[in-house]
């Protein structure tokens, strides 16, 4: 490969700086506004990058009322349980579909791919969830989206890239499919499992549409629903004590947004080193 020129390196550095600035500016604005006082918000026309009078009143307001705290716990539970269930189902299906000797594997794979192109629609899904007795339950936030066809294809491709000799050697030693999966395939697939797990976790954490459709009890709302209702629609979080808060409304809205974003920001750095390897290896067959 040719060595990059100084002009090329400067261009890449400029692009990186611009991208970082585009990402960091709104993030700093949200954090700064959540810490700002009313006078800081008025002076800065609503967007505070560096508050002159920083305080945590908005966060005290958010966590005092109980609405955000309850929604945060719901989102954590749904994300943890949903990600674990989705990984178990996806790993099992991907391993089965990666073995050519499995009868009907191609038909099942085509059926899964079909769901990427065609969707039943909101009304049939709602009727199905209601008929199964899942309406207004936390299971409705997990079961309808438990397996993603895209993640299934990525993981299947990764499993198919593993050397066939490993499977043959394990079978010669008397290992069954379950033991091969647990003792050989999974230890070699940490990268793709981490990436697919991150995809599932982000999807469950950010999902609000299923909650909007399938949950009638506000006490079961996950954090994205509270975020949508309070920040985007401007409705009050108050269930008593929150309505009497003295912190600025805009600061409270930004504090809710920070609470919703921070957990994923904390998880991502630990999985970043697996991201490129897992996606590229699982997406390329050869």
């Amino acid at each position: 490969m040719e060595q990059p020129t100084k002009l090329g390196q400067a261009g890449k550095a400029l692009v990186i700086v611009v991208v970082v600035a585009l990402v960091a500016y709104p993030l700093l604005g949200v954090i700064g506004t959540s810490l700002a006082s009313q006078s800081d918000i008025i002076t800065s026309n609503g967007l505070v990058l560096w508050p002159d009078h920083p305080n945590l009143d908005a966060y005290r307001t958010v966590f005092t009322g109980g609405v955000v705290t309850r929604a945060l716990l719901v989102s954590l539970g749904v994300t943890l349980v949903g990600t674990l269930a989705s990984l178990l189902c996806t790993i099992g299906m991907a391993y089965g579909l990666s073995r050519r000797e499995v009868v009907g594997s191609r038909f099942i794979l085509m059926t899964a791919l079909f769901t990427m192109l065609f969707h039943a629609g909101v009304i049939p899904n709602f009727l199905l969830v209601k008929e199964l007795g899942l309406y207004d339950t936390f299971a409705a936030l997990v079961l309808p989206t438990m397996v993603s066809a895209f993640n299934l294809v990525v993981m299947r491709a990764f499993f198919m890239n593993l050397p066939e000799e490993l499977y043959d050697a394990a079978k010669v030693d008397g290992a069954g499919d379950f033991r091969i999966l647990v003792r050989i395939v999974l230890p070699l697939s940490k990268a793709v499992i981490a990436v697919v797990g991150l995809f599932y976790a982000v999807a469950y954490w950010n999902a609000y549409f299923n909650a909007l459709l399938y949950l009638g009890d506000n006490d079961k709302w996950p954090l994205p629903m509270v975020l949508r209702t309070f920040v985007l629609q401007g409705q009050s979080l108050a269930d008593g004590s929150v309505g009497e808060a003295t912190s600025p409304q805009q600061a409270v809205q930004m504090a809710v947004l920070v609470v919703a974003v921070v957990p994923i920001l904390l998880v991502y750095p630990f999985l970043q080193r697996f991201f490129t390897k897992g996606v590229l290896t699982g997406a390329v067959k050869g």
Side-chain angles (χ1 to χ4, degrees):
M1 297 180 63
E2 297 181 359
Q3 292 293 331
T5 62
K6 293 183 177 179
L7 181 61
Q9 291 179 335
K12 292 178 181 178
L14 179 61
V15 171
I16 293 175
V17 170
V18 171
V19 171
V20 171
L22 291 175
V23 174
Y25 179 78
L27 180 61
L28 292 176
V30 169
I31 296 175
T33 305
S34 70
L35 299 172
S37 62
Q38 183 65 44
S39 60
D40 293 333
I41 294 175
I42 294 175
T43 303
S44 303
N45 294 323
L47 183 63
V48 182
L49 292 178
W50 190 266
D52 294 330
H53 309 90
N55 60 78
L56 297 176
D57 292 344
Y59 292 94
R60 295 190 186 97
T61 300
V62 165
F63 288 108
T64 297
V67 177
V68 174
T69 305
R70 182 171 57 246
L72 181 61
L73 293 176
V74 171
S75 289
L76 286 174
V78 169
T79 300
L80 292 175
V81 174
T83 301
L84 180 59
S86 295
L87 280 177
L88 290 176
C89 292
T90 304
I91 290 172
M93 289 185 63
Y95 177 75
L97 296 177
S98 68
R99 312 313 302 147
R100 295 182 177 87
E101 63 270 16
V102 175
V103 179
S105 60
R106 184 171 180 82
F107 172 76
I108 297 175
L109 178 61
M110 291 299 104
T111 303
L113 294 177
F114 183 81
T115 63
M116 297 178 63
L117 304 176
F118 301 96
H119 194 269
V122 174
I123 296 177
N125 283 334
F126 176 82
L127 294 177
L128 177 61
V129 168
K130 193 169 183 179
E131 286 296 322
L132 293 176
L134 300 177
Y135 182 75
D136 206 18
T137 65
F138 293 124
L141 304 181
V142 176
L143 294 181
T145 56
M146 181 176 289
V147 177
S148 166
F150 173 79
N151 293 336
L152 177 64
V153 171
V154 170
M155 190 167 288
R156 172 182 175 270
F158 188 95
F159 290 165
M160 293 184 69
N161 277 337
L162 295 177
E164 194 67 29
E165 292 77 11
L166 291 175
Y167 298 99
D168 295 336
K171 290 179 180 179
V172 169
D173 291 337
D177 285 323
F178 181 77
R179 188 174 181 183
I180 292 174
L181 175 62
V182 174
R183 301 294 296 274
I184 296 176
V185 176
L186 294 185
L188 296 175
S189 307
K190 294 179 180 178
V192 72
I193 291 174
V195 171
V196 171
L198 179 63
F199 286 164
Y200 277 126
V202 172
Y204 281 118
W205 182 263
N206 292 332
Y208 76 91
F209 192 65
N210 281 357
L212 182 65
L213 287 179
Y214 306 136
L215 295 183
D217 187 358
N218 296 357
D219 291 340
K220 297 179 181 179
W221 277 2
L223 191 58
M225 268 299 296
V226 173
L227 182 67
R228 176 182 180 274
T229 302
F230 179 59
V231 177
L232 297 184
Q233 297 181 354
Q235 297 182 16
S236 176
L237 278 176
D239 61 356
S241 59
V242 180
E244 302 175 0
T246 58
S247 54
Q249 179 77 355
Q250 190 165 354
V252 175
Q253 291 176 339
M254 295 301 103
V256 176
L257 188 57
V258 171
V259 172
V261 170
V262 164
I264 293 297
L265 293 181
L266 294 178
V267 171
Y268 183 77
F270 296 99
L271 302 178
Q272 183 180 10
R273 62 192 183 96
F274 296 110
F275 192 83
T276 303
K277 180 181 177 182
V279 171
L280 292 181
T281 306
V284 178
K285 180 72 173 73

